Amino acid sequence: MTEIPNWWMKGDWFDACSCNVPCPCTFAQAPTGNHCEGIMAYHIREGAFGSVRLDDLAYWRAEIPGRAKAFAEALSGPTTPAGARVQLHNAPGSEVGPGQIATWARASDNEVDAFGFRWNWTGPV
């Protein structure tokens, strides 16, 4: 019998979807146009799968060649301090849950061809 390696991770999840910014789901509202196409992925800040380190894997970008691709760019503005992100604390919607932080970003690519789902769109860069 093959033994499964121990694994662990600490990180944040992100999604790239077709909704407008800010995403209505964060406020427990229906998605933009009552329809949302998107990908959810994790940024693994720290982690390991057996002896393989997973630190800093999938940060604002996730891709499985030929199946799925999601890229997002964190929002900033003229009054955003250097290195800071536009964030919302304690959002009421289902995306982050109570006491969590939502970081605002814009999806620049969102492509899927897997498990019976298929879409391909590129947002403004």
Side-chain angles (χ1 to χ4, degrees):
M1 177 178 219
T2 304
E3 196 167 313
I4 299 172
N6 288 329
W7 67 276
W8 64 274
M9 68 174 213
K10 294 180 183 178
D12 310 295
W13 69 271
F14 80 94
D15 62 21
C17 72
S18 57
C19 288
N20 292 336
V21 174
C23 180
C25 298
T26 306
F27 300 96
Q29 302 298 307
T32 303
N34 221 23
H35 179 79
C36 181
E37 295 176 330
I39 296 173
M40 292 183 164
Y42 281 88
H43 167 220
I44 302 172
R45 287 183 275 121
E46 301 175 59
F49 181 77
S51 63
V52 178
R53 294 298 302 183
L54 304 173
D55 298 353
D56 239 7
L57 183 62
Y59 191 68
W60 295 91
R61 177 184 181 114
E63 184 170 8
I64 301 169
R67 295 288 181 214
K69 181 168 54 170
F71 302 153
E73 299 173 22
L75 294 179
S76 64
T79 61
T80 306
R85 305 215 186 275
V86 177
Q87 297 180 318
L88 173 66
H89 296 254
N90 298 316
S94 61
E95 288 236 304
V96 293
Q100 301 300 312
I101 299 170
T103 300
W104 297 110
R106 175 182 60 197
S108 55
D109 273 330
N110 188 356
E111 179 179 328
V112 168
D113 186 1
F115 306 109
F117 297 99
R118 186 180 193 131
W119 65 80
N120 181 343
W121 62 262
T122 301
V125 177

